[in-house]
Amino acid sequence: MAGIDDYRRKCWDAALHAYGTSHIFQRRARDLKRKTDVLTWVGLAVPLLIGALVGTFGRNEFWGTALAVGAVIAAVQLAINLWSLVRRWPEELAYSSASAVANESLAAQFVSLAEDPPALPAFRTRFEKLSVEDGARRARDGEKNVKDKELRRGMRAALRKYQRPCLGCQQIPTAMTPTDCDVCGKF
């Protein structure tokens, strides 16, 4: 039968994995937010700039050039905007943000349980409850096509946060610089 130390070790392992997953989805959310912000900015800036140029200078010899450049930028922006809708960037951004928060919360709860364990029966009950929640979160996150490269980056972030040695290279990461390790590097 598992004792308190066994459950504490399981809590630390679960915290490590939840924090690593949080790191992955935080990074995805940051990248998607930047992309959607650029799309929004270009979508508003180009028409506003053309309108401001016309309002300021009226129609002159540069009007045709300004309109041509604006039309090309607008066409590219429209194509990228269509791509973002096909790839579901807004939904992915919302999911990634929510997953990052949920996984970080799970990691914190596992750490709290490991650092201040109650008596064994209560510990077991709380651990099982958190494990069910963590399992459900992992199942949802698993549907999001997390790449091996992202998993290695998340593992490195978690090992660094909790100051644990990597099982592959036996090093405790001090930076997020990629290494040749198959477990916490090569990203």
Side-chain angles (χ1 to χ4, degrees), residues 36-65:
T36 56
D37 286 351
V38 167
L39 276 179
T40 302
W41 187 84
V42 170
L44 293 173
V46 171
L48 288 174
L49 285 173
I50 290 174
L53 287 172
V54 170
T56 303
F57 301 110
R59 293 188 89 179
N60 58 30
E61 67 271 8
F62 299 114
W63 172 245
T65 304

Side-chain angles (χ1 to χ4, degrees), residues 4-158:
I4 286 182
D5 288 338
D6 295 321
Y7 279 103
R8 289 183 75 214
R9 188 173 33 261
K10 289 178 183 182
C11 282
W12 283 113
D13 289 345
L16 183 91
H17 290 288
Y19 184 83
T21 304
S22 174
H23 180 80
I24 290 167
F25 284 102
Q26 283 174 4
R27 188 171 172 88
R28 281 186 176 188
R30 185 181 64 239
D31 291 346
L32 286 166
K33 174 134 179 46
R34 186 179 13 237
K35 289 176 185 177
T36 56
D37 286 351
V38 167
L39 276 179
T40 302
W41 187 84
V42 170
L44 293 173
V46 171
L48 288 174
L49 285 173
I50 290 174
L53 287 172
V54 170
T56 303
F57 301 110
R59 293 188 89 179
N60 58 30
E61 67 271 8
F62 299 114
W63 172 245
T65 304
L67 201 55
V69 169
V72 169
I73 292 171
V76 169
Q77 190 266 343
L78 185 61
I80 294 172
N81 214 337
L82 178 61
W83 178 252
S84 78
L85 293 174
V86 168
R87 296 295 298 185
R88 300 179 162 204
W89 286 359
E91 292 93 346
E92 290 298 317
L93 172 58
Y95 181 88
S96 293
S97 297
S99 179
V101 169
N103 275 295
E104 194 153 343
S105 174
L106 283 167
Q109 290 177 70
F110 277 119
V111 166
S112 176
L113 190 57
E115 286 178 338
D116 189 21
L120 187 58
F123 195 169
R124 188 177 305 128
T125 301
R126 286 178 56 194
F127 175 78
E128 293 303 326
K129 182 181 176 227
L130 274 177
S131 292
V132 168
E133 189 178 338
D134 185 47
R137 180 87 250 167
R138 284 185 194 214
R140 287 190 302 273
D141 291 344
E143 295 173 358
K144 294 299 178 181
N145 299 320
V146 176
K147 296 172 180 57
D148 288 342
K149 180 176 160 178
E150 291 175 304
L151 290 172
R152 290 189 297 270
R153 181 186 296 274
M155 177 59 74
R156 186 164 190 88

